[in-house]
Amino acid sequence: MEQPLKERKFELFKSKDFMLLLLGQLASNIANAVNNAAVAWYIMSTIGESNSGKYIAILGACNIIPSIIFGPIAGVFVDRFDRKKIIYGTDFARGVLFLVLALLTYNDFYPMLSLFIITTIGALLGSLFNPAIDASIPNVVEERHLTQANSFNGISRQLTWVIGAAISGFLYYHIGIVGVFIFNGICFIISAISEMFINLPERETKLEISIKEFSKSFWCDFKSGMVFIFEKKSIQILLGFSLFLNFIFSPLFTIILPKVVKFTLGMTAKEYGIMEAIFPIGSIVGMVIISLMNKNKDWYKIVMYSLVIQSVLVMLYGIPILPNVYERLNNEIIFIIFCIIGLLLTIFNALVNVPIYTAFQKLVPDEYRGRFFGVLGTATQGIVPVGLAVMGIVSDKFSSSIIFIFSGIVCTIMSLIMLRVPEIKEIKY
């Protein structure tokens, strides 16, 4: 007899390993959320308006460049070695790094340089952690629960982002940036402890082979992974489009939006934290919508039209801060408008991300999954440093309103073009 729908929905939560994975990410994602908001404000407060865009761009590059260089290679490690040890080991190491950064900052030991260096090392560890997590989810849940697991995993990430963004301003003002770093270090270590108890399939590491043999087999694995990925034309096109979107979107919300809040609207870390918290709330709403949808929906149309809508919403960010419009509105109204746009933007963003990730997890065999997600992370993040460098310079020379409007128009045009690419319809959700 078939289980009632309500029982099937709650069956996933009976999986101890999946729940431990969620709890581990709960702690580490709170640390990431607090860090992103607090550090951006710390840089703007320390450096000032004239050069803050460049310094935030440098920090963003420190977060992204390691995953570009090491991402595909990291995927080979994820496929060859014990994913469980990679997951908890990288979280523990990042916890220690944050505690070291707190000590260096407290002693005023080249605080900006220390921040950049440790951020780079943490990003290297993250390039191992992320594909290990994405590759492991299908190992701890049944395939029939995979879409639901990805939705709940995404909801968990976004909830922690809400919590982290909401408390980042409070922590920054009451315990300072050193206290924030200590808080983050403790969160990562708690995450590592939780992840140590996850049961994942053991993998043969073959450590007894010689260095020469290992190097040869390593690069053979790397090559076979690349061949598998780039035989899929639809995946190639989708990766190329993701490169373009990340070139535009990431710098907008890493550099432009914080500068608008602080310098155009003259608001504080509290308002910025609220605006940051709106983003994950929208993502949660979008993921709840996905979990309630019929699995036989036409996901191709949902994903592609969501891309168009979110591009239009980016353009709308620039309208309230146009000189002729801005003088007719007060900052509180603009703040509310930004929050509404952010909520809608992230709802449609969730309607893009979850189905695509689920499709990839189903299409890619387990033996290739680590390499695939390593390359996927590199491809989607790889163009971001270029975007950050360009946007860091552009943001100091052009108005934020023009940047938002122009970016939204270009993304809308590209999304409309993607609607006409037949290969994208090959991806099943």
Side-chain angles (χ1 to χ4, degrees), residues 142-209:
E142 298 178 22
E143 183 174 325
R144 63 195 176 101
H145 294 310
L146 192 53
T147 300
Q148 188 183 40
N150 282 322
S151 294
F152 282 123
N153 188 45
I155 289 171
S156 172
R157 290 178 179 177
Q158 299 304 326
L159 276 174
T160 55
W161 191 264
V162 172
I163 296 169
I167 66 175
S168 62
F170 174 84
L171 291 175
Y172 180 76
Y173 277 111
H174 289 276
I175 63 177
I177 195 64
V178 173
V180 168
F181 291 150
I182 293 173
F183 174 85
N184 293 343
I186 294 171
C187 284
F188 273 114
I189 291 172
I190 291 173
S191 175
I193 293 171
S194 171
E195 292 156 350
M196 290 175 68
F197 297 96
I198 299 172
N199 292 315
L200 287 174
E202 293 185 4
R203 313 183 71 83
E204 295 182 10
T205 58
K206 299 181 180 179
L207 292 176
E208 69 278 5
I209 63 176

Side-chain angles (χ1 to χ4, degrees), residues 351-425:
L351 295 178
V352 173
N353 290 336
V354 173
I356 288 179
Y357 256 77
T358 301
F360 287 153
Q361 289 171 336
K362 290 181 178 179
L363 289 172
V364 180
D366 186 56
E367 63 268 23
Y368 290 113
R369 209 174 284 139
R371 278 164 283 182
F372 173 79
F373 281 108
V375 170
L376 179 65
T378 297
T380 55
Q381 300 284 339
I383 201 67
V384 173
V386 179
L388 289 171
V390 172
M391 199 66 77
I393 296 171
V394 169
S395 70
D396 294 332
K397 296 183 180 296
F398 296 93
S399 70
S400 298
S401 59
I402 297 301
I403 294 172
F404 271 121
I405 293 171
F406 179 77
S407 299
I409 291 172
V410 172
C411 289
T412 302
I413 293 170
M414 290 300 297
S415 296
L416 290 171
I417 292 173
M418 284 295 293
L419 284 170
R420 304 180 63 85
V421 177
E423 286 81 5
I424 297 301
K425 296 182 181 180

